[in-house]
Amino acid sequence: MIRRCPATPEDYRALARRRLPRFLFDYVDGGAGREQTLLSNVRDWSGICLRQRVMIDVDGIDTETRLAGQDCRQPLVLAPIGMAGMTARRGEVQAVRAADAAGVPFTLSTVGLCGIDEVAAAAAAPVWFQLYMIRDRGIVEALLDKAWQSGCQTLVFTVDLPMPGSRHRDARNGIGLPGLRPKVLKIGQVLSRPGWLWNVAVRGKPLSFGSMSAHVPAASDPDAFKRWVDEQFDPTMTWADIAWLRQRWQGRLLLKGILDRDDALKAVDAGADGIVVSNHGGRQLDGVSSTASVLPAIAAAVGERTEILVDGGLRSGIDVFRALCLGASGVMIGRPWVWALAGAGQAGIERTLAIFRDELRIAMALTGVTRIADIGPDCLVNDPRAASERN
Ligand code: FNR
């Protein structure tokens, strides 16, 4: 039987589910706790109603913009995803090639499987690099230097991980747990996906954490490495560390994981060039607000002074349009690109990005705008500025 063609991120999700061992699919797909924040991230975008306008000349719609000083063919960036390379052979390299082909930036996670050297060598445009604050500041400094030397100009510094969230799906799959049972469970799941076993586990080697391997003895053993990383997240981090980082990093600095307007103000005061409004895709604290619901208040507080990106639950170009209406300059997408990578490799991500761009163009045409800069609260039925003033 010839399978139908994927047309949405959810279609790629279904493909990814068929291709990945269960523990990997759940790692990508899941969130913290009961996954209520994860669900509300997605749901709250779809509740934002667009204002249809007609009889306006919308010939020559242009989705191009600039994000962090970089030209983008649409206002979208691939979010940093740790261990994305476990879902497809040399996955981060496939992803950066897809991002280049589509003219959008790719963000490499600190804990990507492909290291910054490998990804930068495959890239046509500067790669964005994401960093966590690691207890050992020597490692942080070495990674900053390495990223800069490899041509990276934009650092995405993640601030919402003083400790890892509690993810029930990972626990059920025995991730990070000692003993025989988790091992046997994992082997069973891997054997039920021979395509993944051959393509990724065998032909995709080395399965180590590229950028970290010089610093961590256990980088070639994912379980041991996870334990090391979990201990290395620095719960003592404060704004003073951002001040240190600011003077240490000469490129653009985006702080990712801001969900509160007071923190947004502090981020700007600390010298960030931009923020990513994010709750880590609902993977950290279940019960915090969706990003769509906090974006208007944050945009009202700092939108004039800094660049705002947002992520979490964006599943279509129409959601991208909604985010721009609420005051973002651009968005990041996480799971949609990893589902596409797992389901159909580089071509899957390219197709996903084309779908997002087509949907964005349609949203622009039917709301009567032709340029990204013209998208704003006027394109919505209910002006969010009124709601954020009430808060
Ligand atoms: C993430 N995210 C993430 N963020 C980060 O700063 N560094 C990282 O290494 C990771 N790793 C990671 C792994 C997986 C499997 C997921 C799903 C997410 C968060 C990510 O960058 C982004 O904030 C969310 O994925 C956005 O939500 P959506 O688009 O996945 O709904």
Side-chain angles (χ1 to χ4, degrees), residues 11 17 48 50 58 79 106-107 126 130 134 144 153 173 200 203 220 226 238 267 271-272 274 303 335 341 361 382-383:
D11 292 345
R17 189 196 280 272
I48 297 168
L50 306 181
V58 288
F106 170 76
T107 317
Q130 176 268 330
I134 296 169
L144 289 174
Q153 295 161 5
N173 288 319
V200 186
R203 292 168 70 207
S220 58
K226 186 179 183 312
T238 66
R335 292 177 185 83
L341 175 66
R361 287 167 56 81
N382 296 313
D383 188 334

Side-chain angles (χ1 to χ4, degrees), residues 71-90:
D71 288 330
C72 305
R73 241 174 275 156
Q74 58 175 318
L76 185 151
V77 180
L78 300 192
I81 300 287
M83 305 212 296
M86 288 295 280
T87 67
R89 193 187 328 160
R90 308 318 290 161

Side-chain angles (χ1 to χ4, degrees), residues 9-352:
E10 290 77 9
D11 292 345
Y12 281 109
R13 176 177 183 267
L15 267 183
R17 189 196 280 272
R18 280 202 291 273
R19 298 223 165 140
L20 295 176
R22 170 119 195 209
F23 70 90
L24 265 183
F25 176 78
D26 278 345
Y27 160 71
V28 172
D29 198 63
R34 290 168 195 275
E35 303 191 342
Q36 284 169 347
T37 296
L38 171 63
L39 288 175
S40 63
N41 270 353
V42 178
R43 191 192 53 216
D44 288 356
W45 292 116
S46 56
I48 297 168
C49 197
L50 306 181
R51 184 171 165 217
Q52 176 167 302
R53 301 298 307 277
V54 296
M55 305 306 288
I56 297 168
D57 180 354
V58 288
D59 195 24
I61 285 177
D62 182 3
T63 60
E64 289 191 10
T65 190
R66 279 171 81 75
L67 295 176
Q70 205 163 313
D71 288 330
C72 305
R73 241 174 275 156
Q74 58 175 318
L76 185 151
V77 180
L78 300 192
I81 300 287
M83 305 212 296
M86 288 295 280
T87 67
R89 193 187 328 160
R90 308 318 290 161
E92 290 90 357
V93 165
Q94 294 196 54
V96 80
R97 289 192 171 131
D100 281 343
V104 300
F106 170 76
T107 317
L108 178 66
S109 164
T110 314
V111 285
L113 253 65
C114 301
I116 180 77
D117 285 338
E118 185 179 353
V119 173
V127 172
W128 294 15
F129 185 64
Q130 176 268 330
L131 193 60
Y132 289 116
M133 188 58 90
I134 296 169
R135 281 180 199 265
D136 182 339
R137 297 293 193 272
I139 298 181
V140 173
E141 296 203 280
L143 289 171
L144 289 174
D145 291 343
K146 178 68 136 185
W148 185 255
Q149 282 152 16
S150 65
C152 166
Q153 295 161 5
T154 300
L155 182 74
V156 177
F157 191 78
T158 301
V159 293
D160 61 1
L161 222 136
M163 60 175 68
S166 146
R167 303 178 193 147
H168 298 331
R169 292 204 220 182
D170 289 354
R172 287 193 191 102
N173 288 319
I175 303 277
L177 295 181
L180 190 60
R181 189 188 172 104
K183 281 205 174 66
V184 173
L185 185 64
K186 206 155 133 191
I187 290 169
Q189 292 178 356
V190 165
L191 292 178
S192 73
R193 294 291 185 270
W196 178 88
L197 179 58
W198 174 239
N199 279 312
V200 186
V202 176
R203 292 168 70 207
K205 286 196 162 92
L207 297 183
S208 57
F209 294 87
S211 304
M212 300 295 290
S213 25
H215 310 286
V216 192
S220 58
D221 172 356
D223 279 335
F225 178 78
K226 186 179 183 312
R227 283 194 293 278
W228 181 86
V229 166
D230 287 355
E231 286 160 15
Q232 279 292 327
F233 289 120
D234 189 348
T236 68
M237 188 171 64
T238 66
W239 292 107
D241 296 287
I242 302 298
W244 171 80
L245 183 70
R246 178 66 284 184
Q247 54 85 20
R248 188 66 181 67
W249 173 253
Q250 52 194 314
R252 301 217 181 218
L253 175 63
L254 307 182
L255 296 186
K256 173 172 180 285
I258 303 287
L259 205 59
D260 184 278
R261 48 179 285 172
D262 293 345
D263 286 342
L265 288 163
K266 288 192 170 136
V268 177
D269 290 343
D273 298 299
I275 58 170
V276 185
V277 175
S278 176
N279 53 32
H280 219 99
R283 296 165 74 81
Q284 280 298 90
L285 178 58
D286 196 30
V288 299
S289 308
S290 70
T291 48
S293 67
V294 297
L295 178 58
I298 292 177
V302 298
E304 302 278 304
R305 294 169 60 201
T306 200
E307 186 163 334
I308 302 177
L309 301 184
V310 64
D311 73 16
L314 294 133
R315 298 291 177 260
S316 70
I318 299 169
D319 289 342
V320 176
F321 184 89
R322 290 172 164 130
L324 269 48
C325 291
L326 297 189
S329 303
V331 310
M332 285 188 161
I333 57 167
R335 292 177 185 83
W337 76 257
V338 192
W339 290 330
L341 175 66
Q346 178 181 338
I349 303 180
E350 286 182 32
R351 174 91 186 103
T352 297

